[in-house]
Amino acid sequence: MDANPTLDQLQVFLAVAEAGSFSAAARGLNRAQSVISYTIANLEAQLEVPLFERSGRQPKLTDAGRAMLSDARRIVADLQVMRSRARGMKQGLEPELSIAISVMVPAEAVVSILRVFGSRFPSVALNLNVGELGMVMDMVASDRAGIGLGGALLKPDETIHAERIGHSFMVPVAAADHPLGQIEGPLTLNDVREETQLVVTDASGLTKGRDFNVLSYKTWRVSDIATKYQLIRGGLGWGGLPASLVREDLQAGRLVALQLDAYEQGEYPIYALRKVANPPGPAANWLIQAFREQLSNCPSPDEIPGLDGGRHRSAAE
């Protein structure tokens, strides 16, 4: 006999396995016990293996039954997700959402928001890309991301809608044992000009030929912020890093914030970017609002231990 179990048969199988008896499953499903027994017998006949031992007072799963139990749970869960996705699509919910997020968006905000998103929109598949500089705008412009969370538009584009939703901060830092980290008080351009500055290269090409806060004569260019962070922590140079990324290092004294007036620092505005012709659906709208609530309350440098007071003030003071 071909093994083609129905969803109902699998649900009855799970009910019996979880309840521990045919009678308890019958009560839970509001069916006659004879119907439960008949359904299980048919399922066993289709699968051609016994699922329960019936020699005792209560049915017990056989080895085959225990093996089939995880398969049944997975199949039923997949069908429930399919039904949920179909209901969501009928109501206008996106089946899939692609977002591009700047490294300037605090990682803890991303984690906490996506944790809630996963439970609130279980049927929505999520594609997440994290990068720096022009990557966010580039992905939105090329339709590889429906939503971008990053800096302002790097060039005029009437096809992209940009809405400010919050802010972050970039802080010039160096390792505690780096020569710049040993200098007491304010730093001048002469102090930093001869020290290696770590700079991130924009892979998108949108900022080609444009440098931001590059003050040293000697620069090392890296592909991503994570590499820059590790090199600065290792004492190989100095540079600007997101305040949210270096908070713990500043508190622990591994990094120090440099008081460097020549380094243009202040609020780094964060925008929600999307195509004008592609308005966000319910899930995308919820994400944008959640990030707006989180990022509008982002702490200032003065509120981050390691940036307030001490021998190094932030350049935003």
Side-chain angles (χ1 to χ4, degrees), residues 42-70:
N42 276 343
L43 179 59
E44 290 175 323
Q46 286 185 320
L47 296 175
E48 298 182 348
V49 293
L51 300 175
F52 294 96
E53 294 178 358
R54 298 172 175 81
S55 56
R57 293 185 58 186
Q58 301 293 348
K60 294 183 178 180
L61 284 167
T62 62
D63 290 341
R66 282 189 289 272
M68 295 292 180
L69 188 60
S70 60

Side-chain angles (χ1 to χ4, degrees), residues 278-312:
N278 184 26
N285 265 323
W286 183 91
L287 263 182
I288 292 172
Q289 180 58 32
F291 275 103
R292 178 185 290 110
E293 292 174 0
Q294 286 260 6
L295 298 178
S296 61
N297 297 315
C298 183
S300 70
D302 294 342
E303 299 172 295
I304 298 176
L307 285 178
D308 55 337
R311 66 194 178 100
H312 291 288

